[in-house]
Short mmCIF file of all heavy atoms in Angstrom, two decimals:
data_model
loop_
_atom_site.label_atom_id
_atom_site.label_comp_id
_atom_site.label_asym_id
_atom_site.label_seq_id
_atom_site.Cartn_x
_atom_site.Cartn_y
_atom_site.Cartn_z
N GLY T 1315 35.90 3.34 -8.33
CA GLY T 1315 37.16 3.54 -8.98
C GLY T 1315 37.12 3.11 -10.50
O GLY T 1315 36.05 2.99 -11.05
N THR T 1316 38.29 2.85 -11.03
CA THR T 1316 38.42 2.42 -12.39
C THR T 1316 39.06 1.03 -12.42
O THR T 1316 39.91 0.67 -11.56
CB THR T 1316 39.22 3.45 -13.23
OG1 THR T 1316 40.54 3.57 -12.59
CG2 THR T 1316 38.54 4.76 -13.25
N TYR T 1317 38.79 0.27 -13.49
CA TYR T 1317 39.18 -1.10 -13.55
C TYR T 1317 39.55 -1.43 -15.01
O TYR T 1317 38.92 -0.98 -15.98
CB TYR T 1317 38.07 -2.06 -13.09
CG TYR T 1317 37.50 -1.60 -11.80
CD1 TYR T 1317 36.40 -0.71 -11.76
CD2 TYR T 1317 38.04 -1.96 -10.56
CE1 TYR T 1317 35.90 -0.26 -10.56
CE2 TYR T 1317 37.52 -1.54 -9.33
CZ TYR T 1317 36.43 -0.67 -9.33
OH TYR T 1317 35.97 -0.21 -8.14
N TYR T 1318 40.57 -2.29 -15.21
CA TYR T 1318 41.04 -2.62 -16.55
C TYR T 1318 41.45 -4.08 -16.63
O TYR T 1318 41.89 -4.69 -15.70
CB TYR T 1318 42.31 -1.82 -16.89
CG TYR T 1318 42.13 -0.28 -16.78
CD1 TYR T 1318 42.36 0.33 -15.59
CD2 TYR T 1318 41.71 0.42 -17.87
CE1 TYR T 1318 42.22 1.74 -15.50
CE2 TYR T 1318 41.52 1.80 -17.77
CZ TYR T 1318 41.73 2.40 -16.57
OH TYR T 1318 41.56 3.79 -16.48
N THR T 1319 41.24 -4.65 -17.82
CA THR T 1319 41.77 -5.97 -18.12
C THR T 1319 43.29 -5.84 -18.28
O THR T 1319 43.80 -4.78 -18.65
CB THR T 1319 41.13 -6.58 -19.36
OG1 THR T 1319 41.47 -7.97 -19.47
CG2 THR T 1319 41.54 -5.83 -20.66
N ASP T 1320 44.02 -6.89 -17.97
CA ASP T 1320 45.51 -6.79 -17.88
C ASP T 1320 46.13 -6.34 -19.20
O ASP T 1320 47.16 -5.59 -19.20
CB ASP T 1320 46.06 -8.09 -17.48
CG ASP T 1320 45.91 -8.45 -16.01
OD1 ASP T 1320 45.61 -7.53 -15.21
OD2 ASP T 1320 46.10 -9.65 -15.60
N SER T 1321 45.56 -6.76 -20.31
CA SER T 1321 46.18 -6.42 -21.60
C SER T 1321 46.17 -4.95 -21.95
O SER T 1321 46.94 -4.54 -22.84
CB SER T 1321 45.49 -7.25 -22.70
OG SER T 1321 44.13 -6.86 -22.87
N VAL T 1322 45.36 -4.17 -21.30
CA VAL T 1322 45.26 -2.71 -21.62
C VAL T 1322 45.78 -1.89 -20.45
O VAL T 1322 45.88 -0.66 -20.59
CB VAL T 1322 43.88 -2.31 -22.03
CG1 VAL T 1322 43.33 -3.15 -23.15
CG2 VAL T 1322 42.93 -2.22 -20.88
N LYS T 1323 46.06 -2.44 -19.35
CA LYS T 1323 46.53 -1.71 -18.15
C LYS T 1323 47.79 -0.92 -18.49
O LYS T 1323 48.72 -1.44 -19.00
CB LYS T 1323 46.72 -2.69 -16.97
CG LYS T 1323 46.61 -2.04 -15.66
CD LYS T 1323 46.57 -3.15 -14.55
CE LYS T 1323 45.32 -3.96 -14.66
NZ LYS T 1323 45.28 -5.00 -13.55
N GLY T 1324 47.78 0.37 -18.13
CA GLY T 1324 48.87 1.20 -18.38
C GLY T 1324 48.85 1.94 -19.73
O GLY T 1324 49.61 2.83 -19.98
N ARG T 1325 47.97 1.45 -20.63
CA ARG T 1325 47.82 2.08 -21.95
C ARG T 1325 46.48 2.79 -22.12
O ARG T 1325 46.42 3.80 -22.84
CB ARG T 1325 47.95 1.00 -23.03
CG ARG T 1325 49.29 0.22 -23.04
CD ARG T 1325 49.42 -0.64 -24.28
NE ARG T 1325 48.44 -1.67 -24.30
CZ ARG T 1325 47.53 -1.87 -25.26
NH1 ARG T 1325 47.48 -1.09 -26.26
NH2 ARG T 1325 46.67 -2.92 -25.19
N PHE T 1326 45.43 2.28 -21.53
CA PHE T 1326 44.09 2.82 -21.69
C PHE T 1326 43.72 3.51 -20.35
O PHE T 1326 44.05 3.11 -19.28
CB PHE T 1326 43.06 1.76 -21.92
CG PHE T 1326 43.17 1.10 -23.33
CD1 PHE T 1326 44.26 1.37 -24.17
CD2 PHE T 1326 42.16 0.26 -23.75
CE1 PHE T 1326 44.29 0.75 -25.37
CE2 PHE T 1326 42.20 -0.35 -24.95
CZ PHE T 1326 43.31 -0.10 -25.75
N THR T 1327 42.92 4.61 -20.48
CA THR T 1327 42.39 5.34 -19.32
C THR T 1327 40.90 5.52 -19.55
O THR T 1327 40.50 6.24 -20.54
CB THR T 1327 43.11 6.65 -19.12
OG1 THR T 1327 44.48 6.40 -18.96
CG2 THR T 1327 42.55 7.34 -17.86
N ILE T 1328 40.09 5.05 -18.62
CA ILE T 1328 38.66 5.29 -18.71
C ILE T 1328 38.29 6.49 -17.77
O ILE T 1328 38.89 6.69 -16.75
CB ILE T 1328 37.87 4.05 -18.30
CG1 ILE T 1328 36.37 4.18 -18.59
CG2 ILE T 1328 38.07 3.73 -16.79
CD1 ILE T 1328 35.56 2.89 -18.39
N SER T 1329 37.31 7.31 -18.25
CA SER T 1329 36.82 8.41 -17.43
C SER T 1329 35.43 8.74 -17.81
O SER T 1329 34.86 8.20 -18.77
CB SER T 1329 37.74 9.66 -17.67
OG SER T 1329 37.68 10.06 -19.01
N ARG T 1330 34.78 9.55 -17.01
CA ARG T 1330 33.38 9.90 -17.27
C ARG T 1330 33.10 11.36 -16.86
O ARG T 1330 33.77 11.86 -15.87
CB ARG T 1330 32.44 8.93 -16.59
CG ARG T 1330 32.45 9.01 -15.02
CD ARG T 1330 31.74 7.78 -14.41
NE ARG T 1330 30.30 7.78 -14.70
CZ ARG T 1330 29.53 6.75 -14.47
NH1 ARG T 1330 30.04 5.61 -14.00
NH2 ARG T 1330 28.23 6.83 -14.72
N ASP T 1331 32.17 11.95 -17.46
CA ASP T 1331 31.66 13.29 -17.08
C ASP T 1331 30.22 13.13 -16.82
O ASP T 1331 29.39 13.14 -17.75
CB ASP T 1331 31.97 14.29 -18.17
CG ASP T 1331 31.63 15.74 -17.79
OD1 ASP T 1331 30.76 15.92 -16.88
OD2 ASP T 1331 32.16 16.65 -18.38
N ASN T 1332 29.77 13.06 -15.59
CA ASN T 1332 28.42 12.82 -15.18
C ASN T 1332 27.53 14.02 -15.57
O ASN T 1332 26.32 13.81 -15.90
CB ASN T 1332 28.25 12.49 -13.72
CG ASN T 1332 28.76 11.13 -13.39
OD1 ASN T 1332 28.89 10.27 -14.24
ND2 ASN T 1332 29.11 10.90 -12.12
N ASP T 1333 28.07 15.25 -15.56
CA ASP T 1333 27.33 16.40 -15.94
C ASP T 1333 26.92 16.35 -17.38
O ASP T 1333 25.89 16.92 -17.76
CB ASP T 1333 28.06 17.70 -15.59
CG ASP T 1333 28.19 17.96 -14.14
OD1 ASP T 1333 27.42 17.45 -13.34
OD2 ASP T 1333 29.12 18.70 -13.73
N LYS T 1334 27.72 15.73 -18.20
CA LYS T 1334 27.48 15.63 -19.64
C LYS T 1334 27.01 14.24 -20.06
O LYS T 1334 26.75 14.05 -21.25
CB LYS T 1334 28.73 15.96 -20.41
CG LYS T 1334 29.26 17.37 -20.24
CD LYS T 1334 30.50 17.62 -21.05
CE LYS T 1334 31.00 19.07 -20.91
NZ LYS T 1334 32.22 19.33 -21.65
N SER T 1335 26.83 13.35 -19.07
CA SER T 1335 26.39 11.97 -19.32
C SER T 1335 27.27 11.35 -20.42
O SER T 1335 26.71 10.76 -21.45
CB SER T 1335 24.94 11.88 -19.67
OG SER T 1335 24.16 12.33 -18.57
N THR T 1336 28.58 11.44 -20.31
CA THR T 1336 29.46 10.96 -21.35
C THR T 1336 30.57 10.13 -20.77
O THR T 1336 31.14 10.47 -19.71
CB THR T 1336 30.08 12.18 -22.16
OG1 THR T 1336 29.02 12.98 -22.72
CG2 THR T 1336 30.98 11.65 -23.26
N LEU T 1337 30.89 9.04 -21.43
CA LEU T 1337 31.96 8.12 -21.05
C LEU T 1337 33.09 8.23 -22.08
O LEU T 1337 32.79 8.39 -23.27
CB LEU T 1337 31.40 6.74 -21.02
CG LEU T 1337 32.41 5.58 -20.70
CD1 LEU T 1337 32.78 5.61 -19.25
CD2 LEU T 1337 31.81 4.24 -21.04
N TYR T 1338 34.26 8.15 -21.62
CA TYR T 1338 35.46 8.22 -22.54
C TYR T 1338 36.43 7.05 -22.29
O TYR T 1338 36.45 6.40 -21.24
CB TYR T 1338 36.24 9.51 -22.14
CG TYR T 1338 35.47 10.77 -22.26
CD1 TYR T 1338 34.91 11.35 -21.10
CD2 TYR T 1338 35.24 11.40 -23.48
CE1 TYR T 1338 34.18 12.54 -21.10
CE2 TYR T 1338 34.46 12.57 -23.50
CZ TYR T 1338 34.02 13.12 -22.37
OH TYR T 1338 33.25 14.29 -22.47
N LEU T 1339 37.19 6.77 -23.35
CA LEU T 1339 38.29 5.83 -23.26
C LEU T 1339 39.43 6.41 -24.05
O LEU T 1339 39.44 6.48 -25.28
CB LEU T 1339 37.91 4.46 -23.79
CG LEU T 1339 38.92 3.34 -23.62
CD1 LEU T 1339 39.15 3.06 -22.11
CD2 LEU T 1339 38.56 2.10 -24.39
N GLN T 1340 40.52 6.80 -23.30
CA GLN T 1340 41.73 7.22 -23.97
C GLN T 1340 42.60 5.99 -24.20
O GLN T 1340 42.91 5.28 -23.26
CB GLN T 1340 42.45 8.24 -23.09
CG GLN T 1340 43.80 8.72 -23.62
CD GLN T 1340 43.61 9.54 -24.91
OE1 GLN T 1340 42.78 10.38 -24.96
NE2 GLN T 1340 44.43 9.22 -25.89
N MET T 1341 42.93 5.74 -25.45
CA MET T 1341 43.73 4.60 -25.82
C MET T 1341 45.08 5.04 -26.40
O MET T 1341 45.16 5.68 -27.45
CB MET T 1341 42.91 3.79 -26.89
CG MET T 1341 41.48 3.54 -26.52
SD MET T 1341 40.43 2.91 -27.85
CE MET T 1341 41.14 1.30 -28.08
N ASN T 1342 46.17 4.67 -25.71
CA ASN T 1342 47.53 4.99 -26.10
C ASN T 1342 48.23 3.69 -26.43
O ASN T 1342 47.89 2.62 -26.04
CB ASN T 1342 48.21 5.76 -25.06
CG ASN T 1342 47.56 7.04 -24.69
OD1 ASN T 1342 46.98 7.74 -25.58
ND2 ASN T 1342 47.65 7.48 -23.46
N GLU T 1343 49.39 3.85 -27.12
CA GLU T 1343 50.26 2.78 -27.47
C GLU T 1343 49.47 1.59 -28.11
O GLU T 1343 49.66 0.45 -27.66
CB GLU T 1343 50.99 2.31 -26.24
CG GLU T 1343 51.89 3.38 -25.59
CD GLU T 1343 52.46 2.96 -24.26
OE1 GLU T 1343 53.05 1.85 -24.22
OE2 GLU T 1343 52.37 3.73 -23.27
N LEU T 1344 48.62 1.95 -29.03
CA LEU T 1344 47.77 0.88 -29.60
C LEU T 1344 48.48 -0.21 -30.32
O LEU T 1344 49.52 0.10 -31.00
CB LEU T 1344 46.77 1.53 -30.55
CG LEU T 1344 45.61 2.33 -29.81
CD1 LEU T 1344 44.94 3.31 -30.68
CD2 LEU T 1344 44.59 1.30 -29.26
N LYS T 1345 47.98 -1.39 -30.26
CA LYS T 1345 48.58 -2.58 -30.86
C LYS T 1345 47.57 -3.21 -31.84
O LYS T 1345 46.40 -3.01 -31.71
CB LYS T 1345 48.99 -3.64 -29.81
CG LYS T 1345 49.86 -3.10 -28.73
CD LYS T 1345 50.07 -4.14 -27.66
CE LYS T 1345 51.03 -3.60 -26.55
NZ LYS T 1345 51.22 -4.58 -25.46
N PRO T 1346 48.12 -3.96 -32.83
CA PRO T 1346 47.17 -4.62 -33.80
C PRO T 1346 46.13 -5.50 -33.04
O PRO T 1346 45.02 -5.54 -33.53
CB PRO T 1346 48.08 -5.46 -34.61
CG PRO T 1346 49.41 -4.73 -34.62
CD PRO T 1346 49.49 -4.11 -33.22
N GLU T 1347 46.47 -6.07 -31.92
CA GLU T 1347 45.50 -6.89 -31.22
C GLU T 1347 44.40 -6.10 -30.53
O GLU T 1347 43.46 -6.69 -29.99
CB GLU T 1347 46.20 -7.83 -30.17
CG GLU T 1347 47.16 -7.06 -29.25
CD GLU T 1347 48.63 -7.18 -29.69
OE1 GLU T 1347 48.85 -6.98 -30.89
OE2 GLU T 1347 49.48 -7.41 -28.82
N ASP T 1348 44.52 -4.78 -30.55
CA ASP T 1348 43.43 -3.94 -30.06
C ASP T 1348 42.32 -3.72 -31.10
O ASP T 1348 41.28 -3.13 -30.81
CB ASP T 1348 43.94 -2.52 -29.60
CG ASP T 1348 44.88 -2.64 -28.41
OD1 ASP T 1348 44.59 -3.41 -27.50
OD2 ASP T 1348 45.88 -1.94 -28.40
N THR T 1349 42.53 -4.21 -32.35
CA THR T 1349 41.55 -4.06 -33.38
C THR T 1349 40.31 -4.81 -32.97
O THR T 1349 40.27 -5.96 -32.66
CB THR T 1349 42.10 -4.66 -34.68
OG1 THR T 1349 43.22 -3.85 -35.12
CG2 THR T 1349 40.99 -4.61 -35.76
N ALA T 1350 39.13 -4.08 -33.00
CA ALA T 1350 37.87 -4.64 -32.50
C ALA T 1350 36.77 -3.58 -32.66
O ALA T 1350 37.06 -2.45 -32.85
CB ALA T 1350 38.01 -5.05 -31.03
N VAL T 1351 35.60 -4.05 -32.51
CA VAL T 1351 34.45 -3.21 -32.33
C VAL T 1351 34.32 -2.90 -30.84
O VAL T 1351 34.27 -3.87 -30.07
CB VAL T 1351 33.12 -3.78 -32.88
CG1 VAL T 1351 31.99 -2.86 -32.56
CG2 VAL T 1351 33.24 -4.03 -34.37
N TYR T 1352 34.33 -1.61 -30.45
CA TYR T 1352 34.26 -1.27 -29.05
C TYR T 1352 32.88 -0.81 -28.74
O TYR T 1352 32.28 0.05 -29.35
CB TYR T 1352 35.24 -0.16 -28.74
CG TYR T 1352 36.67 -0.67 -28.63
CD1 TYR T 1352 37.37 -1.06 -29.79
CD2 TYR T 1352 37.31 -0.71 -27.41
CE1 TYR T 1352 38.63 -1.61 -29.70
CE2 TYR T 1352 38.63 -1.21 -27.30
CZ TYR T 1352 39.28 -1.66 -28.47
OH TYR T 1352 40.56 -2.10 -28.35
N TYR T 1353 32.23 -1.39 -27.67
CA TYR T 1353 30.89 -1.11 -27.25
C TYR T 1353 30.92 -0.38 -25.92
O TYR T 1353 31.63 -0.77 -24.96
CB TYR T 1353 30.10 -2.36 -27.08
CG TYR T 1353 29.93 -3.19 -28.31
CD1 TYR T 1353 30.77 -4.21 -28.63
CD2 TYR T 1353 28.88 -2.88 -29.25
CE1 TYR T 1353 30.61 -5.01 -29.81
CE2 TYR T 1353 28.69 -3.61 -30.39
CZ TYR T 1353 29.55 -4.69 -30.64
OH TYR T 1353 29.40 -5.38 -31.79
N CYS T 1354 30.12 0.65 -25.84
CA CYS T 1354 29.85 1.34 -24.54
C CYS T 1354 28.63 0.63 -23.88
O CYS T 1354 27.63 0.41 -24.51
CB CYS T 1354 29.52 2.80 -24.85
SG CYS T 1354 28.89 3.79 -23.48
N THR T 1355 28.81 0.30 -22.62
CA THR T 1355 27.69 -0.36 -21.88
C THR T 1355 27.48 0.24 -20.57
O THR T 1355 28.42 0.77 -19.89
CB THR T 1355 28.01 -1.89 -21.70
OG1 THR T 1355 29.07 -2.04 -20.72
CG2 THR T 1355 28.46 -2.51 -22.99
N GLY T 1356 26.21 0.24 -20.12
CA GLY T 1356 25.80 0.74 -18.80
C GLY T 1356 25.18 -0.42 -18.00
O GLY T 1356 24.24 -1.06 -18.53
N TRP T 1357 25.68 -0.66 -16.85
CA TRP T 1357 25.21 -1.78 -16.02
C TRP T 1357 24.46 -1.23 -14.78
O TRP T 1357 25.03 -0.53 -13.99
CB TRP T 1357 26.33 -2.69 -15.59
CG TRP T 1357 27.07 -3.36 -16.74
CD1 TRP T 1357 26.65 -3.45 -18.03
CD2 TRP T 1357 28.31 -4.03 -16.68
NE1 TRP T 1357 27.59 -4.05 -18.77
CE2 TRP T 1357 28.64 -4.48 -18.01
CE3 TRP T 1357 29.23 -4.31 -15.64
CZ2 TRP T 1357 29.77 -5.18 -18.29
CZ3 TRP T 1357 30.36 -5.03 -15.94
CH2 TRP T 1357 30.62 -5.42 -17.27
#
């Protein structure tokens, strides 16, 4: 499934396309506290 930290729950949506080996993050209702460097990671 998908998992979120509480501060972004309901605003962000994570998804992936395995056929394209691509990860996405849709970010809505952005707030100043969302300002950051965002890293894609594979575990």
Side-chain angles (χ1 to χ4, degrees):
T1316 59
Y1317 313 90
Y1318 303 91
T1319 191
D1320 285 344
S1321 65
V1322 309
K1323 202 169 297 180
R1325 300 188 297 121
F1326 291 9
T1327 303
I1328 191 171
S1329 61
R1330 66 194 295 168
D1331 186 337
N1332 287 340
D1333 290 338
K1334 297 180 179 179
S1335 294
T1336 303
L1337 177 72
Y1338 304 97
L1339 186 67
Q1340 178 65 47
M1341 310 167 69
N1342 299 326
E1343 302 171 48
L1344 284 161
K1345 304 175 180 179
E1347 51 262 44
D1348 294 319
T1349 295
V1351 176
Y1352 284 70
Y1353 298 94
C1354 172
T1355 71
W1357 298 348

